[in-house]
């Protein structure tokens, strides 16, 4: 038997492990201002190295069965918020429309972190610029099931990115997406560890081989990943020629206000973006 | 007497004795020694840079729960330093850099110590700061040390003043005349390097206690005797009151060549009457790292039509940070690193140590050399480009050979670098090149040379012979991971005594047991401690043979030590076991033990009057390297992949070739890190911006490449059995070779390290500004104090 | 409200702050110091332990999330006085330098070999991207692992404890 640490004063434990979403929301709402939900805990636990102490109260989500599961059907898919990058990478079937997500889940950070860090954590870690899953999910046009004390909502990724900074307790339950005939690619640099620029692409072509529809999401350039609507609008109807697409990306890169951080200055993130766009189109072309 | 030990008997791939515990997690490093009976301490550090201290109040902290003692400036009255005593243990009237220690607090738990640290009151008033060397050298710059004249300095008459903590210079021959020659081509280059952080996996720290009126400091250091001296000095007690012991060290690379927080732990131990553990957090370790210093270099050469170097002049500005520290000593190295390698008809160099309001820098594997070789080799390639000469041909024509004078006029012995260049070509022939692996990327290959000096210097060793035939080797050398004291020195002892190295017990460093040693670093341990141990072996060998001679009725001169026996020469298996002789000696003369000592042979001499402000004028033991790299640069992202790396290294004699290769592999990857991955940046407050592994990027396994190594043996050496230090110099040309190869790949003028992907992309896109060092005068004589 | 878990096959409990990283519970609470605290941020891997059969950085695991977990550390990766094949290969190839990274290296690579019977050099390097070493320059670590593949079948027995 070990005893360690100082005696706790308040009745609420610094770490609670609810079994249901409702219970978790209650704990989050009642825990006071310095209460945070943890999933894989990798962002919170390394907080002290960023000068952010571990919050006073943690609500661990690992016992909530509803947050689990990777279910990929012929028409749609659902991934529970508590699934780790590693589990997602291994559970996704080999399919062109899921390739970007598989690469994002399988190449992020390092193996140890991939075994811990979850989908939900990736979605909710405000301040974590290098999140790989977010742009990949944007390309899938995924919808996020969010639970709040007021009830459940299914919102798209753009709306989610705005609401994740909002006050008030919420939990990500799962993401859902439709299966499509789109082909996808996830290009990032550097190829290992944490990226400083990400282009995630999904695309469908028409009978003439022109771009019928596409989604291009950009991560690690601005504080939050986003769909590049300006690029998408102009690319539709064009040939998916990698060099041409890179040129287009260069032309419209003023759409971004890049962040500068120690791992890369803002100009660099932007400068390599057209290259990543080119590589994403090349990957798709290569894989037919 | 003449030992006549065949050095080949020392050569073997002996495994490491410490490896088993290290792979099973049993090794107890300093950081593993804080049990429940040990107080935990933290350092309270200045939050901002240059400031005047108005008030420091620790009274609230002292009342906090669990607090057992607080060490403050009042407990450490004396200044310390290397060469110039300019540094207080704790801040007094002014703060000179962010992170400077204010006080240290010991409490029952780390959380309690941290809570107390948070309530220490530090009232300050901001002062003008110098964040760069250019600012510090500007006319009218605020002085970091207005009282510099009052500081104790170990030598008189050294040029220093204002924000220049130290100046070393060397002048040989008529440089003005060389540059005035009508037939020479003049090539001028400017370079800048950032800092490199060691990131030893075990941070700096100490566990201290106060026992029977003496301090006992268990620390993770390379220099137990320095820790002993500095700890005593700052407290104002006699050095004999401090005992320093050193468990296995979890990585050092030069960072642990200075005392740092050990005296704080010692003060707290005395004040609390308890054992105190004080260990830097990773953030503290990173932000107060005594980094390889950033430096600005200007170099100009006059090249004859035949491609010879008629004259060379250079100015090297070394950033000391807020206190002089190791840079003062290392300023001497410029003459032997930037000034090395090539035959110079005339030369002058100024090597200046500059104070800035940034964290102090320190020693890092191939100190000073790692960036001066970058400057020298890039300059050499710029010369070749200008005069249209093949870089390999230029090097073969100009590298030092037997009888050539070095920068300080020292005459070099042996023709080493030239043959090593030939060996590199042969090695490349054998391994082939990897240009085909570059694909669409830009391919570059570069070959560079480097010179380093082994810091020989005082060491002492004692050897006790045990009745079971084993021997105990007592030294103050430390196992820092290099294997020198767990493999190299025991192998030398064993060969001298005709036993297997496994029979040599190595006592962990303890200043109460072993005699003085300068420290484990600078590539000196196998050479200096090996020589001291060899001298000790001679003593015990004489005693052994003396007794054996009585026992075997044979004159000592006819006896040899071999296979754990004392044998009659040329009659293998004759004689008796060493145990028998030891047992006999115990009865007749008493147990056998002996001590030996070594210091620099002082045989290398500089030309009188060449050098000023130098800690040594000539290299006691030069070592040479030739490095070659092939790189592929991605023009789209600026990322560099190292396709191949080859090393020809002057090792004297490799007594453990496998261990030598392991050291070279590790050092080269660290050198590649310096070249292309690792960046320290200084923020607006003068502090280091990186906080740990997230923001400081060291090479990962995927960045590594298997180094092809050719060990060049047989160059002259004063080391025992012809050995030289091998682990220090092996990092030296990592940065140089990356820079030259990337310059060759991109066709761009590489002036700075590190060459991280954004830096390389800026170069290839043409948006990197050209560096021209306006703070260094083009008239060399303006860059020296008069 | 103590957290209960098994550590190298033995039941343990911990009654301190449940936010405490497993790393500190092991080192300070249990005084098992084989697991190293280096970056405390999930980058270096020196703190890697097996949790529920997977190697993870223990600095990133609040103990409160580990109720009922099976934890195996470097102290339990092989029977006392025995070495597993990874440890043996490290000794045989003179791989070790300062040694601080090796407990984590052993855990990660022991698990890796169990899952990858015929690894490639690049596969091993990818597996080590969260296990850093400041001393060795990695290649000899890779050599050692490759030699295991050549000489013996990977050690399933060592991690199954
Ligand atoms: S200490 Fe946990 S990964 Fe580095
Ligand atoms: S051996 Fe020192 S960190 Fe790996």
């Amino acid at each position: 038997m070990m005893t360690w640490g100082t005696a706790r004063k308040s009745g609420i434990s610094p770490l609670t492990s609810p079994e249901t979403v409702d219970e978790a929301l209650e704990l989050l709402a009642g825990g006071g201002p310095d209460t945070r939900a943890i999933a894989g805990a990798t962002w919170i636990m390394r907080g002290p190295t960023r000068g952010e102490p571990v919050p006073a109260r943690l609500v661990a989500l690992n016992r909530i069965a509803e947050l689990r599961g990777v279910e990929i059907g012929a028409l749609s898919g659902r991934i529970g918020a508590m699934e780790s990058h590693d589990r997602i990478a291994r559970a996704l079937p080999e399919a062109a429309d899921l390739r970007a997500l598989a690469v994002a889940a399988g190449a992020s950070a390092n193996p140890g972190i991939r075994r811990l860090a979850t989908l939900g954590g990736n979605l909710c870690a405000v301040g974590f610029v290098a999140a790989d899953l977010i742009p990949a999910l944007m390309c899938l046009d995924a919808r996020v099931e969010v639970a709040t004390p007021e009830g459940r909502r299914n919102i798209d990724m753009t709306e989610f990115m705005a609401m994740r900074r909002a006050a008030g307790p919420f939990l990500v339950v799962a993401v859902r997406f439709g299966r499509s005939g789109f082909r996808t690619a996830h290009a990032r640099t550097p190829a290992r560890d944490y990226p400083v620029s990400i282009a995630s692409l999904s695309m469908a072509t028409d009978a003439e081989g022109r771009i019928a529809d596409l989604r291009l999401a950009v991560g690690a350039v601005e504080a939050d990943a986003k769909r590049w609507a300006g690029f998408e609008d102009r690319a539709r109807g064009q040939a998916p020629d990698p060099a041409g697409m890179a040129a287009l990306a260069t032309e419209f890169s003023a759409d971004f206000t890049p962040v500068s951080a120690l791992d890369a200055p803002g100009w660099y993130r932007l400068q390599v973006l057209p290259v990543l766009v080119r590589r994403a189109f090349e990957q798709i072309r290569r894989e037919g | 007497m003449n030992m006549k030990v065949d050095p080949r008997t020392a050569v073997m791939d002996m495994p490491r004795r410490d490896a088993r515990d290290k792979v099973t997690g049993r090794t107890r490093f300093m950081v593993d020694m804080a049990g429940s009976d040990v107080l935990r301490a933290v350092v309270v550090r200045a939050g901002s840079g240059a400031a005047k201290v108005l008030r420091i109040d620790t009274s609230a902290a002292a009342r906090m729960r669990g607090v057992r003692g607080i060490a403050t400036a009042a407990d450490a009255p004396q200044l310390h330093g290397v060469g110039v005593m300019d540094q207080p243990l704790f801040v007094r009237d002014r703060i000179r850099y962010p992170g400077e220690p204010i006080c240290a607090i010991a409490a029952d738990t780390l959380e309690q110590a941290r809570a107390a640290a948070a309530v220490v009151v530090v009232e300050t008033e901001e002062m003008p700061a110098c964040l760069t060397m250019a600012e510090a050298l500007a006319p009218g710059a605020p002085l970091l040390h207005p009282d510099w004249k009052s500081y104790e300095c170990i030598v008189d008459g050294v040029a220093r003043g204002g924000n220049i903590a130290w100046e070393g210079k060397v002048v040989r021959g008529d440089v003005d005349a060389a540059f005035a020659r009508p037939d020479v081509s003049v090539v001028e280059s400017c370079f800048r390097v950032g800092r490199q952080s060691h990131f030893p996996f075990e941070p700096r720290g100490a566990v201290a206690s106060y026992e029977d009126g003496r301090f006992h400091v268990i620390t993770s250091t390379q220099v137990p005797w320095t820790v002993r001296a500095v700890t005593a000095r700052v407290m104002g007690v006699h050095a004999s009151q401090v005992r320093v012991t050193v468990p296995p060290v979890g990585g050092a690379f030069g960072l642990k060549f200075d005392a740092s927080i050990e005296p704080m732990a010692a003060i707290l131990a005395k004040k609390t009457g308890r054992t105190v553990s004080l260990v830097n957090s990773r953030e503290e370790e990173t932000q107060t790292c005594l980094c390889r210093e950033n430096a600005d270099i200007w170099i100009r050469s006059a090249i004859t039509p035949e491609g010879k170097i008629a004259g060379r002049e250079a100015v090297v500005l070394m950033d000391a940070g807020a206190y002089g520290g190791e840079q003062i000593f290392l300023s001497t190295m410029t003459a032997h690193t930037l000034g090395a390698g090539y035959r110079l008809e005339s030369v002058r160099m100024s090597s200046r140590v500059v104070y800035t309001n940034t964290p102090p820098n320190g020693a890092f594997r191939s100190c000073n050399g790692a960036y001066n070789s970058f400057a020298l080799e890039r300059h050499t390639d710029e010369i070749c480009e200008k005069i249209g000469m093949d870089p390999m041909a230029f090097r073969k024509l100009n590298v030092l050979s037997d009888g050539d004078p070095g920068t300080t006029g020292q005459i070099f012995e042996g023709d080493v670098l030239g043959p090593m260049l030939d060996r590199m070509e042969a090695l490349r022939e054998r391994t082939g090149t990897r240009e085909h692996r570059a694909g669409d990327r830009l391919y570059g290959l570069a070959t560079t040379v480097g010179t380093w000096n082994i810091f020989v210097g005082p060491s002492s060793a004692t050897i006790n012979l045990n009745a079971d035939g084993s021997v105990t080797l007592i030294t103050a050398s430390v196992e820092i991971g290099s294997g020198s004291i767990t493999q190299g020195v025991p192998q030398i002892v064993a060969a001298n005594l005709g036993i297997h190295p496994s029979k040599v017990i190595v006592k962990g460093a303890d200043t109460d047991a072993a005699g003085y040693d300068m420290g484990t670093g600078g590539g000196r341990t196998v050479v200096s401690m090996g020589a001291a141990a060899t001298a000790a072996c001679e003593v015990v060998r004489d005693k052994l043979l003396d007794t054996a001679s009585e026992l075997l009725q044979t004159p000592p001169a006819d006896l040899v030590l071999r296979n754990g026996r004392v044998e009659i020469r040329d009659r293998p298996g004759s004689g008796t076991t060493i145990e028998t002789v030891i047992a006999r000696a115990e009865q007749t003369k008493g147990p056998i033990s002996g001590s030996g000592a070594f210091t620099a042979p002082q045989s290398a001499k500089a030309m009188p009057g060449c050098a000023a402000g130098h800690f040594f004028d000539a290299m006691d033991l030069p070592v040479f390297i030739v490095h070659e790299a092939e790189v592929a640069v991605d023009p789209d992202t600026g990322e560099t992949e190292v396709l191949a790396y080859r090393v020809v290294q002057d090792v004297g004699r490799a007594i453990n070739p496998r261990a030598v290769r392991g050291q070279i592999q590790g050092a080269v990857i660290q050198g590649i890190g310096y070249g292309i991955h690792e960046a320290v940046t200084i923020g607006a407050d003068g502090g280091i911006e990186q906080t740990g592994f997230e923001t400081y990027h060291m090479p990962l396994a995927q960045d590594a490449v298997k180094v092809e190594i050719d060990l060049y043996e047989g160059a002259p050496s004063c080391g025992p059995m012809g050995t030289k230090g091998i682990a220090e110099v092996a990092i030296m040309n990592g940065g140089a070779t990356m820079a030259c190869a990337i310059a060759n790949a991109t066709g761009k003028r590489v002036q700075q390290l590190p060459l991280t992907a954004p830096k390389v992309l800026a170069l290839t896109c043409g948006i990197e500004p050209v560096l021209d060092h306006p703070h260094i005068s083009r008239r060399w004589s303006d860059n020296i104090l008069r | 409200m103590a957290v209960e878990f098994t550590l190298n096959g033995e039941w343990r409990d911990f009654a301190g702050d449940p936010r405490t990283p497993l790393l500190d519970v092991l080192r300070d609470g249990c005084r098992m110091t084989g697991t190293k605290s280096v970056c405390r941020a999930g980058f270096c891997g020196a703190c890697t332990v097996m949790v529920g059969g997977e190697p993870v950085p223990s600095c990133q695991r609040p103990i409160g999330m580990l109720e009922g977990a099976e934890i195996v550390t470097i102290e339990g990766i092989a029977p006392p006085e025995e070495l597993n094949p990874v440890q043996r290969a490290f000794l045989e190839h003179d791989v070790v330098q300062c040694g601080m990274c090796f407990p984590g290296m052993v855990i990660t690579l022991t698990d890796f070999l169990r899952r990858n019977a015929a690894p490639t050099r690049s596969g091993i390097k990818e597996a080590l991207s969260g296990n850093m070493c400041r001393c060795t320059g990695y290649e000899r670590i890779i050599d050692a692992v490759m030699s295991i593949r050549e000489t013996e079948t990977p050690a399933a027995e060592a991690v199954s404890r």
Side-chain angles (χ1 to χ4, degrees), chain A residues 46 49 189 192 268 278-279, chain B residues 283 634 636-637 694 703:
Chain A
R46 76 174 204 246
T49 65
T189 194
R192 54 165 178 76
Y268 180 80
R278 190 191 77 212
R279 288 180 185 174
Chain B
E283 295 76 47
D634 185 331
D636 294 329
T637 62
E694 182 173 357
D703 302 313

Side-chain angles (χ1 to χ4, degrees), chain B residues 413-736:
Chain B
E413 238 188 285
D415 192 8
V416 185
L417 267 176
M420 284 173 68
L421 285 167
D422 294 337
R423 288 267 286 263
M424 178 57 85
E425 288 179 319
L427 178 61
R428 186 196 308 143
E429 194 73 22
R430 275 205 302 285
T431 60
T433 56
R434 308 239 168 90
E435 184 166 3
H436 56 278
R437 287 205 35 226
D440 299 338
R441 295 169 296 174
L442 306 170
Y443 170 81
L445 177 146
T447 314
T448 66
V449 302
T451 312
W452 177 253
N453 180 41
I454 305 294
F455 293 134
V456 290
S459 286
S460 58
T462 295
I463 289 172
N464 295 331
L465 300 195
N466 305 317
D468 62 354
S470 66
V471 313
T472 306
L473 171 67
I474 302 167
T475 76
S477 286
V478 176
E479 179 45 56
I480 56 174
S482 66
S484 52
I485 197 66
T486 49
Q487 291 168 307
V489 180
Q491 283 180 237
I492 290 172
V493 168
N496 273 293
L497 298 178
I499 57 177
H500 191 269
S502 61
K503 291 246 170 181
V504 181
I505 299 158
V506 179
K507 161 111 180 74
D510 181 348
T511 57
D512 273 7
Y516 178 77
D517 175 59
M518 203 176 100
T520 303
R524 64 182 298 280
T525 300
V526 165
V527 172
S528 299
M529 193 52 83
T534 300
C537 285
E538 292 183 24
V539 176
V540 297
R541 187 172 184 275
D542 280 355
K543 293 183 184 175
L544 262 179
L545 295 188
D546 201 39
T547 297
S549 160
E550 285 165 25
L551 213 55
L552 301 173
Q553 298 294 305
T554 311
D558 293 341
L559 296 175
V560 290
L561 297 174
R562 191 162 53 205
N563 296 331
R565 300 174 66 81
V566 184
E567 294 180 348
I568 297 163
R569 187 180 304 281
D570 304 328
R571 284 172 54 197
S574 65
T576 184
T577 63
I578 200 166
E579 289 95 318
T580 311
V581 184
I582 295 169
R584 170 66 170 242
E586 275 182 15
Q587 287 159 9
T588 57
K589 297 177 177 128
I592 296 178
S593 69
S595 294
F598 174 80
T599 193
Q602 323 245 320
S603 50
K605 292 272 185 281
M607 194 182 282
C610 267
H614 277 202
F615 283 75
F616 56 91
D617 291 344
M619 294 202 253
D620 285 305
L621 182 50
V623 284
F624 304 96
I625 48 171
V626 177
H627 280 203
E628 182 167 283
E630 296 176 64
V631 301
V633 176
D634 185 331
D636 294 329
T637 62
E639 286 172 296
T640 301
E641 184 193 350
V642 183
L643 303 172
Y645 206 103
R646 290 180 279 275
V647 169
V648 178
Q649 182 166 328
D650 160 31
V651 295
R653 179 190 301 277
I655 54 172
N656 191 329
R658 185 173 65 168
V660 169
R661 289 167 187 275
Q663 286 301 309
I664 293 174
Q665 172 71 40
V668 164
I669 300 308
Q670 235 175 31
I672 290 173
Y674 183 51
I676 65 177
H677 297 289
E678 302 176 25
V680 171
T681 51
I682 300 293
D685 65 348
I688 290 172
E689 293 186 296
Q690 286 66 27
T691 56
F693 284 67
E694 182 173 357
T695 39
Y696 188 77
H697 295 158
M698 284 166 284
L700 302 179
Q702 292 134 302
D703 302 313
V705 59
K706 193 162 189 166
V707 181
E708 308 283 355
I709 301 165
D710 181 12
L711 303 180
Y712 183 91
E713 297 193 283
S717 171
C718 63
M721 302 181 166
T723 52
K724 290 187 170 191
I726 53 90
E728 182 94 9
V729 67
I731 194 178
M732 186 165 163
N733 277 34

Side-chain angles (χ1 to χ4, degrees), chain A residues 110 113, chain B residues 201 693, chain C residues 23 36-48 56-60 130:
Chain A
N110 62 54
I113 292 298
Chain B
F201 271 33
F693 284 67
Chain C
L23 172 63
K36 298 301 176 200
S37 168
V38 176
C39 73
R40 301 183 69 85
F43 287 88
C44 75
C47 68
T48 305
V56 295
S58 62
C59 63
Q60 300 292 296

Side-chain angles (χ1 to χ4, degrees), chain B residues 22 199-202 249-251 253 480-481, chain C residues 95-102 105 132-138 141:
Chain B
K22 284 178 172 175
F199 270 80
F201 271 33
E202 182 188 38
V249 171
F253 317 116
I480 56 174
Chain C
V95 177
V96 177
Q97 293 190 19
C98 88
M100 283 283 289
C101 66
F102 275 95
M105 290 280 176
M132 298 174 68
C133 174
R134 189 54 161 161
C135 301
T136 64
Y138 301 104
I141 295 174

